[in-house]
Amino acid sequence: MNVLAISCHPDDMEICCGGTLLRCKERGDNVTVCHVANGNMGHVVIEADELRRIRIGEAKKSGESAGFKVVTCDVGDLLVNSADKAQHDKLVEIIRAANPDFIITQAPDDYMGDHVETSKLVFKAAFAATVPHYEPQLGEACNVVPIYYMDNSCLLGCEPTEYVDISDHIETKLNMLANHESQLVWLRDHDDVDVLENTRAMARIRGLQCGVQYAEGFRQCMTDHRIVAKRMLP
């Protein structure tokens, strides 16, 4: 299968669905990871242009270490806008190129605007990508496919409809996340936030809920044409 994960910021994939994508790769899937925002505002000291370059590089290093294809829409932080045609069409092009069997993305009720707008953008672009006469220069139309929403930040306000056991992949998931040094070091040293510890704890909570050591949770987008009579997640 072809799997497309569209996260907002460069480290959201590792935090929320990295273990699941590792399992997808393990079963032979082609995995593409797209970051909509470039993370250029995620620091107090490093200026935006330099941080953009650093974070795109960190994301590429992390994803490619697992054999994922990594692409970015390169939208500045706080500027993700589901009503922006340029952003919408860039995502249509990425979706058509990946030709996914299912998509994983941010939840529509997460904690900040860029995450919410990413979710809206994916929902809109994923359908537009299936319409042959819509901007045909952006690639060949693909199929309407299931969409799975990642957990919200700190698991707040969301109840998974599906779980993926990532017990055998938790250390690799955390090693991938560790590539995002510009975020992890700053948050640890200046805000006393240990992103690696928090990510492990969230995976443990989801694991307890479904009877395994570590897991990731997802909510399926329950709309017409996006429901199939088989399990898509690993």
Side-chain angles (χ1 to χ4, degrees), residues 57-70:
E58 289 172 343
K60 191 173 182 65
K61 180 180 178 182
S62 172
E64 290 183 350
S65 72
F68 305 160
K69 179 180 179 181
V70 181

Side-chain angles (χ1 to χ4, degrees), residues 133-152:
H133 293 304
Y134 181 77
E135 304 292 1
Q137 75 279 7
L138 298 178
E140 185 176 349
C142 54
N143 295 322
V144 179
V145 298
I147 295 175
Y148 297 92
Y149 296 124
M150 310 172 190
D151 267 328
N152 289 350

